[in-house]
């Protein structure tokens, strides 16, 4: 063999030893081990592994095995957790050779990480983050953006879990619809944002069915529990406002709520004429009570407010409506509560001096009550628990809109 032929032989041998690799990652936080080798065909994977993942998907979706097909297979190298660690799981960075397997059944296309059955432990896991349908992914991200009108940064999906919900309400309490107790496979999805905003949840948790036909925000899980300090401050505020002892008050109920200028179970607001803002506030509705009062507060992480219109005793409002009906001759059903304020009157006449004897200059805790009937406002004053007195009536017009709609030409 000539010297030139020997050199060519050596170069050819060296070229054959260079591995053909490229980066292809499915895991949310892949290790450097997750580098694909040249793609393998399904025939190069043990048939037992293919059967395992197909059987697993068929069982989870409750479909026939024949309806589950392998769509794509690529070779990979995994750590001991198959690059999909469970919470608090320690993973050894051992280079297990395996496969990333895309398996389809109808509209569902799931990604499995698998290794040889000879390797100890469970030889396959599902990458739920990459198995979530794109339609569901887009829905939850769009919904978070809609709930936050201002810029809160990029929304990203933090984690995805497969769930089998016990009913078609996805195990969330519903008052406006009846839930059918039929098992509903779906997803538990956690999202986060890259900009901090103390008025918003740090993460958003959604529940959905498999295809995104039902998508619900899990408000309780997203907002969390009312801070103990806010809870204590609310009770102290109630004792101060009512001029009673702190021990007289107790918390009856705390509800996670969301509200905006366009609706939701939020604090009462006077009619201002401004265009409502859809930007949502997330917090808690706190119901507290004493011997003769049941009050409503709304709280966020950093502050709270007393809702007087929702806290005034109903019997005082009913007494005002009864009086207004007698005076006007109009049915009681025509009148509704417009607004209420908790006030301290300067005298025992509750600020009503017409046809009143001499009043004692003694502060008296009570309520100012406004009723609406058609376009007329009726005002009443009362004590804390009784003595509703008519004060005046006057025409009422809604405030002009800050941004009136353009008239068509």
């Amino acid at each position: 063999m000539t010297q030139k032929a020997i050199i060519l032989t050596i170069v050819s041998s060296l070229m054959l030893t260079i591995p053909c690799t490229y980066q292809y990652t499915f895991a949310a936080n892949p290790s450097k081990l997750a580098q694909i080798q040249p793609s393998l065909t399904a025939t190069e994977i043990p048939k037992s592994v293919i059967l395992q993942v197909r059987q697993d998907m068929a069982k989870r979706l409750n479909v026939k095995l024949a309806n589950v097909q392998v769509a794509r297979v690529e070779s990979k190298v995994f750590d001991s957790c198959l690059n999909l660690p469970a919470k608090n799981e320690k993973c050894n960075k051992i280079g297990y050779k395996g496969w990333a397997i895309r398996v389809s059944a109808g509209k569902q296309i799931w990604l499995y990480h698998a290794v040889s059955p000879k390797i100890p432990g469970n030889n396959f896991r599902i990458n739920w983050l990459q198995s979530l349908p794109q339609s569901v992914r887009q829905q939850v991200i769009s919904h978070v953006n809609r709930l936050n009108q201002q810029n809160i940064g990029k929304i990203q999906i933090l984690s995805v879990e497969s769930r089998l919900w016990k009913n078609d309400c996805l195990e969330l309490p519903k008052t406006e619809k009846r839930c059918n107790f039929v098992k509903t496979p779906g997803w538990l999805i956690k999202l986060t944002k890259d900009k901090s905003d103390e008025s918003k949840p740090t993460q958003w948790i959604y529940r959905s069915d498999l295809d995104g036909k039902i998508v619900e925000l899990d408000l309780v899980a997203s907002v969390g529990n009312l801070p103990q300090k806010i809870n204590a401050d609310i009770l102290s505020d109630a004792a101060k406002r009512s001029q009673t002892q702190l021990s007289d008050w107790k918390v009856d109920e705390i509800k996670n709520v969301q509200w905006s200028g366009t609706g939701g179970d939020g604090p009462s607001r006077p009619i201002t004429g401004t265009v409502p803002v859809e930007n949502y506030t997330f917090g808690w509705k706190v119901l507290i009570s004493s011997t003769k009062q049941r009050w409503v507060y709304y709280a966020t992480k950093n502050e709270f407010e007393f809702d007087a219109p929702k806290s005034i005793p109903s019997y005082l409002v009913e007494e005002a409506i009864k009086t207004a009906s007698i005076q006007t001759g109009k049915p009681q059903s025509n009148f509704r509560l417009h607004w209420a304020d908790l006030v301290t009157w300067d005298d025992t006449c509750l600020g009503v001096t017409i046809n009143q004897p001499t009043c004692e200059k003694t502060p008296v805790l009570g309520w100012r009550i406004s009723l609406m009937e058609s376009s007329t406002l009726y005002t009443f004053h009362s004590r804390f628990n009784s003595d509703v007195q008519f004060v005046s009536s006057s025409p009422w017009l809604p405030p002009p809109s800050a941004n009136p709609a353009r008239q068509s030409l």
Side-chain angles (χ1 to χ4, degrees):
M1 181 180 294
T2 65
Q3 185 176 3
K4 182 177 181 180
I6 294 174
I7 293 174
L8 288 173
T9 301
I10 294 173
V11 170
S12 299
S13 300
L14 289 173
M15 291 179 66
L16 290 172
T17 62
I18 298 175
C20 179
T21 62
Y22 58 93
Q23 187 74 19
Y24 192 92
T25 302
F26 285 108
N29 296 298
S31 69
K32 293 181 179 180
L33 295 173
Q35 292 187 350
I36 283 187
Q37 304 299 321
S39 295
L40 299 178
T41 63
T43 56
E44 295 176 292
I45 300 178
K47 291 183 179 180
S48 60
V49 175
I50 294 295
L51 182 60
Q52 274 184 307
V53 297
R54 290 180 62 225
Q55 287 176 333
D56 181 79
M57 190 174 191
K59 182 179 179 181
R60 290 176 184 272
L61 296 179
N62 193 26
V63 298
K64 295 180 179 179
L65 182 61
N67 295 334
V68 181
Q69 302 296 326
V70 173
R72 185 181 181 185
V73 178
E74 292 178 279
S75 62
K76 275 206 166 206
V77 179
F78 300 119
D79 59 22
S80 62
C81 301
L82 304 188
N83 290 8
L84 298 171
K87 186 177 181 180
N88 299 325
E89 183 180 12
K90 294 183 178 180
C91 306
N92 296 321
K93 292 187 176 181
I94 301 172
Y96 287 136
K97 292 183 179 180
W99 305 271
I101 311 170
R102 286 281 182 182
V103 188
S104 66
K107 295 181 180 179
Q108 298 297 312
I109 303 177
W110 292 1
L111 175 63
Y112 284 79
H113 292 188
V115 292
S116 170
K118 297 179 181 180
I119 295 176
N122 189 1
N123 69 301
F124 68 87
R125 294 187 183 188
I126 307 175
N127 189 330
W128 293 119
L129 189 61
Q130 293 296 328
S131 298
L132 182 70
Q134 188 65 23
S135 59
V136 180
R137 182 186 302 269
Q138 291 174 347
Q139 277 194 72
V140 293
I141 291 177
S142 296
H143 194 265
V144 171
N145 282 321
R146 187 177 69 81
L147 293 177
N148 300 272
Q149 293 296 313
Q150 74 270 30
N151 182 23
I152 60 171
K154 183 180 179 181
I155 302 297
Q156 62 181 6
I157 295 180
L158 193 63
S159 67
V160 176
E161 298 176 26
S162 172
R163 291 296 176 91
L164 183 61
W165 308 113
K166 295 179 181 179
N167 55 40
D168 62 354
C169 293
L170 313 182
E171 299 179 30
L172 291 171
K174 294 288 182 179
T175 56
E176 71 279 5
K177 65 171 288 188
R178 182 177 179 180
C179 301
N180 297 315
F181 286 89
V182 54
K183 291 183 178 180
T184 305
W187 311 98
L188 179 68
I189 310 162
K190 295 182 181 180
L191 302 93
T192 187
K193 56 186 184 297
D194 60 8
K195 286 190 177 181
S196 177
D197 182 355
E198 292 186 355
S199 67
K200 305 296 180 185
T202 56
Q203 64 179 8
W204 310 84
I205 300 177
Y206 283 82
R207 301 183 184 193
S208 81
D209 63 356
L210 279 176
D211 301 323
K213 295 177 181 178
I214 308 173
V215 178
E216 299 282 354
L217 172 66
D218 188 336
L219 190 61
V220 175
S222 299
V223 176
N225 298 321
L226 178 71
Q228 287 298 318
K229 184 181 184 304
I230 298 291
N231 188 58
D233 288 346
I234 287 175
L235 292 174
S236 296
D237 182 80
K240 183 178 179 181
R241 287 178 186 270
S242 62
Q243 301 172 18
T244 58
Q245 299 295 318
L246 177 60
S247 58
D248 293 341
W249 292 90
K250 64 183 179 68
V251 175
D252 292 332
E253 185 180 1
I254 300 174
K255 297 171 59 179
N256 293 85
V257 291
Q258 63 182 39
W259 66 88
S260 74
T262 60
D265 186 4
S268 302
R269 293 286 183 261
I271 299 174
T272 61
T274 58
V275 176
V277 179
E278 194 177 9
N279 182 42
Y280 279 82
T281 300
F282 295 82
W284 300 268
K285 182 179 182 180
V286 186
L287 307 179
I288 66 173
S289 65
S290 64
T291 305
K292 296 182 179 180
Q293 299 282 325
R294 194 164 193 259
W295 286 3
V296 178
Y297 280 80
Y298 285 89
T300 60
K301 287 183 178 181
N302 302 312
E303 57 186 4
F304 63 87
E305 64 178 289
F306 171 60
D307 193 317
K310 292 182 180 178
S311 299
I312 183 172
S314 59
Y315 60 83
L316 295 180
V317 178
E318 291 167 4
E319 182 64 25
I321 291 176
K322 181 179 178 181
T323 301
S325 176
I326 293 172
Q327 288 190 356
T328 62
K330 297 179 179 180
Q332 294 185 24
S333 58
N334 283 20
F335 297 87
R336 61 178 177 83
L337 178 65
H338 177 68
W339 196 254
D341 289 300
L342 182 66
V343 297
T344 300
W345 307 115
D346 293 333
D347 52 50
T348 56
C349 294
L350 313 181
V352 183
T353 57
I354 300 177
N355 298 324
Q356 293 281 6
T358 305
C359 304
E360 296 181 14
K361 291 296 181 179
T362 301
V364 177
L365 184 65
W367 301 90
R368 180 186 292 110
I369 307 168
S370 298
L371 301 181
M372 180 69 70
E373 190 278 327
S374 185
S375 59
T376 303
L377 198 64
Y378 296 83
T379 303
F380 295 80
H381 293 181
S382 79
R383 293 177 184 270
F384 191 52
N385 293 317
S386 62
D387 195 11
V388 178
Q389 300 182 27
F390 173 72
V391 178
S392 65
S393 63
S394 60
W396 183 87
L397 294 175
S401 175
N403 294 295
R406 293 182 61 186
Q407 297 182 351
S408 58
L409 300 176

